[in-house]
Amino acid sequence: MAKILAVVGSPRKGGNTEILVSKMVEGAGAAGAQVEVIRLGELQIRECDGCHACWRGRPCSKKDDMQGIYPKIAASEIIVFGTPVYWYGPTALMKAFIDRFVYFNGEANRSMIRGKRAAVAVVLEETHEQTWRPVVEFFERSLGYLEMKPAGTIVVGGVGEKGAILKLPERLEEAHRLGIALAGEGR
Ligand SMILES: Cc1cc2nc3c(=O)[nH]c(=O)nc-3n(C[C@H](O)[C@H](O)[C@H](O)COP(=O)(O)O)c2cc1C
């Protein structure tokens, strides 16, 4: 059974990111995956300051909610990263979360992330590729650097208002199908 950790990086509860990720989760769950959803807006995740305690075999020096998430990441086979576009980048919540992946860049912890699959879900108000492409590349390059493997990307443009994505059932259906495909990707 594939173990999936789905991360909602929008601070807006019940927003478009959460709806999109929920559809993926629904599909994955229906296809037999075990899925846990975490909402970064409900957690305290501090910035990484590069102290590199984690590279010297010590725990992360930041005593916050990331301490509980590292084991969840290690125990998952697939991670779903969901974020809206905020100023041509991910949200500050998602950026802080990914910054803390420096933890996995040290020799001791690299095996906790290497080879895991990563799916990316992005929503935005505009529709231009120039707007969302930097966000997708941010994930591709950062997660690729950590030797994660791409497992699918969905970008839904034209959704500004909270819940606007509900007016695009075919895109939600696509997210559902992606979730089903993820469930079949467990190592
Ligand atoms: C601080 C902020 C910055 C944003 N920047 C952009 C942007 O650069 N381009 C864009 O298309 N939409 C931008 N948006 C709109 C959001 O991407 C859009 O409303 C999205 O649906 C929000 O997702 P959510 O409902 O999951 O929070 C921005 C919204 C906020 C609040």
Side-chain angles (χ1 to χ4, degrees):
M1 184 198 296
K3 280 187 88 172
I4 301 178
L5 183 67
V7 182
V8 176
S10 170
R12 183 154 71 170
K13 279 189 181 164
N16 297 312
T17 308
E18 190 165 345
I19 294 167
L20 186 63
V21 170
S22 299
K23 273 288 158 190
M24 293 169 73
V25 165
E26 198 181 286
Q34 182 187 324
V35 193
E36 179 173 352
V37 180
I38 58 172
R39 294 169 186 80
L40 298 183
E42 294 173 353
L43 303 174
Q44 296 300 322
I45 298 180
R46 291 182 55 193
E47 67 287 352
C48 177
D49 59 12
C51 76
H52 294 152
C54 56
W55 290 8
R56 291 192 287 272
R58 298 209 297 273
C60 178
S61 66
K62 304 292 174 295
K63 304 300 174 217
D64 60 11
D65 289 324
M66 205 62 195
Q67 301 283 346
I69 296 174
Y70 286 130
K72 289 182 197 288
I73 292 171
S76 306
E77 289 149 349
I78 301 159
I79 306 177
V80 175
F81 298 87
T83 184
V85 174
Y86 271 18
W87 293 115
Y88 313 101
T91 59
L93 289 171
M94 180 57 79
K95 184 62 167 61
F97 178 66
I98 296 288
D99 281 359
R100 295 286 290 278
F101 277 41
V102 162
Y103 178 84
F104 299 115
N105 199 27
E107 201 47 44
N109 299 328
R110 177 57 79 103
S111 62
M112 292 185 204
I113 199 95
R114 180 186 289 125
K116 289 185 193 294
R117 307 233 161 221
V120 173
V122 176
V123 301
L124 68 156
E125 184 163 15
E126 298 170 49
T127 54
H128 310 118
E129 182 168 351
Q130 300 99 297
T131 304
W132 56 260
R133 179 59 62 191
V135 182
V136 170
E137 285 179 354
F138 157 73
F139 284 110
E140 281 173 359
R141 297 185 69 178
S142 306
L143 303 175
Y145 187 87
L146 290 169
E147 300 171 81
M148 294 188 80
K149 295 187 180 139
T153 297
I154 182 164
V155 177
V156 181
V159 291
E161 296 298 315
K162 183 175 175 178
I165 200 166
L166 293 169
K167 294 185 188 135
L168 302 173
E170 69 290 352
R171 302 308 313 276
L172 295 177
E173 188 49 43
E174 187 185 328
H176 193 266
R177 283 197 302 274
L178 179 54
I180 293 171
L182 289 180
E185 293 234 10
R187 286 181 298 170

